[in-house]
């Protein structure tokens, strides 16, 4: 059984940066009263944050 290769540090940083940007967008749109866009940004933050932490976990293993 072959083990998958470790993700690159650039991939981990990119995904986590996109997660942070989506939360910043969610806060911006929430502050402007655009709830659907704010909730979309929050959902993306949760998904990308989880993916980023999983990539980081695989990289450290």
């Amino acid at each position: 059984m072959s083990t998958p290769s470790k993700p690159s540090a650039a991939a981990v940083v990119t995904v986590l940066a996109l997660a942070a940007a989506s939360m910043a967008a969610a806060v911006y749109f929430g502050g402007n009263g655009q709830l659907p866009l704010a909730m979309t940004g929050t959902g993306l933050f949760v998904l990308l944050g989880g993916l980023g932490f999983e990539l980081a976990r695989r990289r450290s293993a």
Side-chain angles (χ1 to χ4, degrees):
M1 186 181 269
S2 66
T3 58
S5 62
K6 292 183 179 182
S8 68
V12 175
V13 170
T14 300
V15 170
L16 291 175
L18 286 172
S22 66
M23 182 47 83
V27 169
Y28 173 79
F29 287 122
N32 288 322
Q34 298 179 9
L35 190 59
L37 289 174
M39 293 305 294
T40 301
T42 303
L44 284 172
F45 170 74
V46 170
L47 291 172
L48 291 171
L51 177 62
F53 279 110
E54 177 63 20
L55 290 174
R57 185 191 65 80
R58 288 185 184 179
R59 181 164 172 75
S60 68

